[in-house]
Amino acid sequence: MANTFYSMKNYYYIFLLLLITLFSCRNDFDFEPSVGNLSFSKDTVYLDTVFTNIGSSTYTLKVYNNSDKNIAIPKIQLANGLNSNYRLMVDGMPGKIFENVELLANDSLYVFIEVTADVADANPTDFLYTDQIHFGTDSNYQKVELVTLIQDAYFIYPERVQNPDNTYTYENISLGMDENGNPITIKASILSETDPINGNELLWNNLKPYVIYGYAVVPNNKTLEIAAGARIHFHAESGLIIADQASLKANGSLSTTETLENEIIFEGDRLEPNFSEVPGQWGTIWFTLGSTDNILTNTTIKNATVGLLISGNDGSTNPSLTLNNVQVYNCSNVGILARTGFINGKNIVSNNCGEAGLACTFGGNYDFKQCTFANYWPTPGQNSVYIDDYDGAPEYTLNAIFENCIVYGSSNYALTFEKQGADSNFNYQFNNCLIRFNDFNNQFTNDPLYQFNGSKYSDCLIATTTSTNNPNFKNPIKNDFRIEENGTGINQGVNLTPNFDDILGNPRPTPTNLNPDIGAYQFTN
């Protein structure tokens, strides 16, 4: 028994010795210098447009070793070295110059790329900032081009003061008290007519984009005027506030090209194409209680949480907000959210909002003509138009009229009411409108709010199925709500006085001619 154990132990040591010898002879983890044998996922990395001195997103380059040998890349470096405004991360290590980077046979590695550059660093003729990544030696290398467009901008942001503990106190405004009596504040900057950097911040031009951090506030008794063609970009959790007795005048005009050169556009500050239609990137444009004489013309609001938030009205007999040729898209909550608002709107288009394209809540006064309130949000349960009177108290009386409007979308119920008060305080009228309402379970048959043959709905077309009274929009996913030639709504509106052109500037028929189309777009061949 002892001899057997001794014999087995000898075999064990012999096996271990052979194993050590075998591995010592293998070259699986030997790396030899290699130059010129790499391949790349891209020859050029285009980092999308960034604002001056604002960091970009992170972009990825994949580097392949297609050989059967382990290699060591002598250098991976930016052509401009330490002076480059690009930043790299290779194998989890940040830097601008890396030496002897090992890469296994038939394997790959990731290079992550970012940039922060001033417009002064860019080529003055095309505003491109460029560099290269070199793979090899100083004299023998493969290269990948780096290209970024740098855009200058006006920046509006809250000032900050450093505290003794190295934290910061930011400029802010108060929004009142919470339920526990604690103050509610948000980071905000009060717009000034004599800002030392931006000059008059109450006149926004179209020379450079505006980038907003925190909330920009139009102060009491002041008016913010925005020129045609202006571009306004909001950072996350940012927006615009129009204070009591303050006004916003967004003076856009019709554009003649697909660049929308005269349209005023409010959107987020992520300029990459993948973010162009992403909802919820910023906060809202907030018309606070008492803001007055606000007018938005040829204006697009997109990718907000709430596109337009209207808290009350100015108490006068005139609308506190007038919307002409306004488009609101991709809002994670509501496109236009009014609480006891007073709004007149013509040629409004809304789409792709998480809860509703238009929400007229807490009553209020509303007059909408030739609008297309659509909603093709990808999950069910959303509305195109939602209307309520809160708890039904007299101060929440509703007066709403819709003429030649489309209320449509992917939901069976594009229109929803919530009524609590007396019938006499809940007044609404739909004239020559196209409304999607597919009551497939007949649950609203006896609901007086949805009696589409009654006096509240004059000459309206009701889409009770997907094939009945379908407007056949050209491309609702891309916010193209022109009606196709075979769609319902063409020449089925009523002539309005005064007559006005459609959202693209196409003339609508005069009373002596055909009837206009329903919605914001007039059909053209």
Side-chain angles (χ1 to χ4, degrees):
M1 194 69 178
N3 289 337
T4 302
F5 175 77
Y6 179 78
S7 176
M8 289 179 63
K9 185 164 67 173
N10 283 346
Y11 280 124
Y12 171 75
Y13 285 122
I14 292 171
F15 174 76
L16 184 61
L17 180 62
L18 288 172
L19 192 63
I20 294 172
T21 303
L22 177 64
F23 273 93
S24 66
C25 295
R26 290 181 63 183
N27 61 358
D28 289 9
F29 299 101
D30 290 341
F31 293 85
E32 59 183 57
S34 179
V35 174
N37 297 316
L38 302 171
S39 61
F40 307 99
S41 58
K42 302 172 185 176
D43 295 326
T44 302
V45 178
Y46 295 96
L47 286 79
D48 290 302
T49 305
V50 297
F51 293 113
T52 184
N53 289 323
I54 300 297
S56 72
S57 298
T58 302
Y59 294 79
T60 302
L61 173 70
K62 202 168 184 180
V63 183
Y64 300 94
N65 172 17
N66 295 319
S67 73
D68 295 327
K69 296 181 179 181
N70 303 326
I71 63 172
I73 306 170
K75 275 189 180 181
I76 298 177
Q77 61 182 335
L78 290 161
N80 292 328
L82 298 177
N83 294 322
S84 179
N85 289 318
Y86 288 98
R87 302 180 298 279
L88 306 179
M89 181 174 286
V90 177
D91 272 352
M93 296 295 294
K96 299 184 178 183
I97 301 174
F98 306 83
E99 296 185 347
N100 296 317
V101 178
E102 297 177 344
L103 185 54
L104 294 172
N106 298 305
D107 202 355
S108 61
L109 64 84
Y110 284 98
V111 177
F112 298 102
I113 308 156
E114 296 177 349
V115 66
T116 303
D118 190 284
V119 69
D121 301 319
N123 186 321
T125 59
D126 55 17
F127 301 104
L128 293 178
Y129 179 71
T130 61
D131 202 346
Q132 298 173 343
I133 307 177
H134 291 178
F135 298 82
T137 66
D138 290 336
S139 59
N140 183 14
Y141 56 81
Q142 295 174 266
K143 66 182 180 181
V144 172
E145 303 284 348
L146 303 178
V147 179
T148 308
L149 177 64
I150 309 297
Q151 191 167 10
D152 200 6
Y154 299 102
F155 293 92
I156 296 174
Y157 50 88
E159 298 294 339
R160 67 179 188 178
V161 177
Q162 187 170 5
N163 301 315
D165 60 356
N166 292 324
T167 61
Y168 290 93
T169 298
Y170 287 85
E171 182 183 4
N172 62 73
I173 61 170
S174 174
L175 299 180
M177 311 292 283
D178 65 16
E179 58 185 10
N180 297 318
N182 299 313
I184 303 172
T185 61
I186 58 171
K187 296 177 183 176
S189 173
I190 309 297
L191 298 177
S192 169
E193 294 169 294
T194 57
D195 185 82
I197 297 175
N198 296 325
N200 189 349
E201 293 180 326
L202 293 173
L203 293 175
W204 290 3
N205 60 53
N206 57 16
L207 302 178
K208 297 187 293 185
Y210 287 79
V211 182
I212 314 297
Y213 287 80
Y215 275 80
V217 180
V218 184
N220 303 71
N221 301 306
K222 297 292 184 179
T223 298
L224 170 61
E225 296 205 21
I226 305 178
R231 300 291 188 262
I232 298 92
H233 300 268
F234 296 98
H235 194 62
E237 300 180 1
S238 299
L240 179 63
I241 295 176
I242 296 85
D244 181 25
Q245 297 304 306
S247 302
L248 170 63
K249 309 283 190 185
N251 303 313
S253 59
L254 287 172
S255 300
T256 58
T257 71
E258 293 183 355
T259 63
L260 302 178
E261 71 281 359
N262 295 321
E263 185 92 358
I264 294 172
I265 300 178
F266 296 90
E267 59 183 322
D269 65 346
R270 298 292 299 271
L271 303 182
E272 308 94 309
N274 289 342
F275 281 83
S276 64
E277 305 298 330
V278 175
Q281 296 181 44
W282 54 283
T284 186
I285 300 173
W286 184 6
F287 301 92
T288 64
L289 178 63
S291 71
T292 185
D293 197 22
N294 300 289
I295 302 175
L296 278 64
T297 303
N298 291 98
T299 297
T300 295
I301 301 103
K302 56 187 293 191
N303 307 340
T305 301
V306 173
L308 300 174
L309 173 59
I310 301 93
S311 297
N313 54 74
D314 62 6
S316 73
T317 58
N318 297 315
S320 54
L321 175 60
T322 300
L323 304 175
N324 298 314
N325 297 355
V326 171
Q327 302 173 70
V328 185
Y329 301 131
N330 313 328
C331 296
S332 58
N333 193 319
V334 178
I336 302 172
L337 173 56
R339 293 171 175 167
T340 324
F342 191 168
I343 305 173
N344 279 8
K346 298 176 180 178
N347 290 338
I348 299 172
V349 181
S350 64
N351 183 39
N352 199 33
C353 298
E355 294 186 23
L358 169 68
C360 302
T361 68
F362 292 65
N365 293 279
Y366 308 97
D367 187 340
F368 296 109
K369 293 178 171 61
Q370 300 283 175
C371 298
T372 299
F373 298 111
N375 202 349
Y376 284 80
W377 187 261
T379 56
Q382 81 287 344
N383 301 119
S384 298
V385 173
Y386 171 88
I387 300 173
D388 75 34
D389 61 349
Y390 188 47
D391 62 4
E395 58 264 34
Y396 303 125
T397 294
L398 171 75
N399 293 287
I401 182 168
F402 295 77
E403 295 186 281
N404 290 357
C405 292
I406 295 177
V407 181
Y408 205 89
S410 55
S411 173
N412 285 316
Y413 306 107
L415 173 65
T416 296
F417 293 107
E418 295 284 348
K419 185 177 83 71
Q420 302 296 329
D423 290 347
S424 59
N425 291 335
F426 199 85
N427 305 297
Y428 61 95
Q429 183 69 43
F430 289 82
N431 297 329
N432 295 82
C433 293
L434 193 166
I435 303 169
R436 178 170 184 180
F437 200 86
N438 182 8
D439 188 16
F440 57 93
N441 287 328
N442 297 319
Q443 58 182 317
F444 297 100
T445 300
N446 298 317
D447 191 322
L449 297 172
Y450 304 101
Q451 299 305 305
F452 296 110
N453 292 323
S455 60
K456 297 289 188 180
Y457 303 90
S458 175
D459 295 318
C460 288
L461 303 169
I462 309 303
T464 56
T465 69
T466 56
S467 59
T468 304
N469 291 326
N470 191 325
N472 290 330
F473 297 124
K474 281 186 175 291
N475 195 336
I477 303 304
K478 293 187 177 180
N479 300 321
D480 188 346
F481 289 98
R482 291 173 293 170
I483 298 175
E484 292 277 21
E485 186 173 6
N486 60 345
T488 299
I490 296 176
N491 301 136
Q492 291 179 291
V494 62
N495 292 113
L496 301 177
T497 303
N499 188 31
F500 54 92
D501 293 344
D502 80 349
I503 194 170
L504 298 178
N506 299 312
R508 289 191 171 97
T510 62
T512 58
N513 203 333
L514 295 172
N515 288 339
D517 299 345
I518 302 175
Y521 297 90
Q522 183 69 22
F523 175 77
T524 57
N525 291 317

